[in-house]
Amino acid sequence: MESHVGSALQKHALLWFIIAAQCVSAQGCGSHYRYAIEEFCLAGFREGMQELDPSQWCSWEDTAELYEGLTNCTYLCAEKMSCYWPNRIVDEFFIQVHRHYFHDCSMSGRRLRDPPNRILGPFIVVPILVTLLMTALVVWRSKRSEGIV
């Protein structure tokens, strides 16, 4: 019976040791991992984005390769430093990247803007004309009361 309790305690202790080692490993990634991805990964991404015209930043075709390289770089850094990936630091890092480079982009990848005047004009003019026509018709009809029962 004692050997069974002893092995259970050993398993329990081993489990806590593994959990503690993983927590120390994950916490140890903090500032060193953040520094690595900012210095190694972001530098290359920043260079590539500067070569593009800012109007191309929302074009997935133009930025996909750079973005994939950035993602792979953060993964490789995490692997070399024995960190989990993805993790909170990577999430915060990509949020900062998106706020800086992709804040004007829509979900479809196209820059949001008003349609050209030739398309927008009819959507403005037609309702105004219909409103004026209906108002004139109501006024005209209310003055002609002889045919109404």
Side-chain angles (χ1 to χ4, degrees):
M1 181 77 172
E2 289 210 17
S3 68
H4 181 64
V5 171
S7 68
L9 286 174
Q10 285 178 342
K11 289 179 183 178
H12 189 67
L14 180 62
L15 177 65
W16 279 109
F17 177 75
I18 291 171
I19 291 171
Q22 293 297 325
C23 288
V24 169
S25 172
Q27 289 175 352
C29 292
S31 61
H32 298 295
Y33 180 64
R34 184 181 310 270
Y35 177 79
I37 61 176
E38 286 178 0
E39 288 298 314
F40 298 115
C41 303
L42 186 60
F45 179 77
R46 188 179 294 137
E47 262 183 47
M49 291 298 281
Q50 286 175 349
E51 290 176 8
L52 291 175
D53 186 62
S55 65
Q56 293 175 303
W57 287 1
C58 290
S59 170
W60 183 245
E61 292 82 21
D62 296 328
T63 58
E65 189 175 329
L66 294 171
Y67 196 84
E68 183 181 359
L70 180 65
T71 304
N72 290 339
C73 183
T74 62
Y75 174 75
L76 291 173
C77 285
E79 191 175 79
K80 293 289 184 192
M81 298 177 83
S82 299
C83 298
Y84 290 109
W85 191 94
N87 56 46
R88 182 182 50 84
I89 296 169
V90 170
D91 292 342
E92 291 170 358
F93 174 75
F94 276 102
I95 287 171
Q96 289 174 349
V97 167
H98 279 257
R99 282 185 181 155
H100 185 271
Y101 291 101
F102 306 114
H103 65 278
D104 284 338
C105 302
S106 69
M107 294 297 281
S108 67
R110 295 182 180 181
R111 185 178 296 272
L112 297 175
R113 60 178 179 228
D114 289 335
N117 287 339
R118 63 182 165 72
I119 294 174
L120 191 59
F123 285 105
I124 295 171
V125 172
V126 169
I128 292 171
L129 291 176
V130 168
T131 303
L132 291 174
L133 180 65
M134 293 305 291
T135 305
L137 184 63
V138 168
V139 169
W140 176 72
R141 193 72 177 150
S142 66
K143 289 188 178 192
R144 273 191 68 210
S145 59
E146 69 234 15
I148 301 175
V149 177

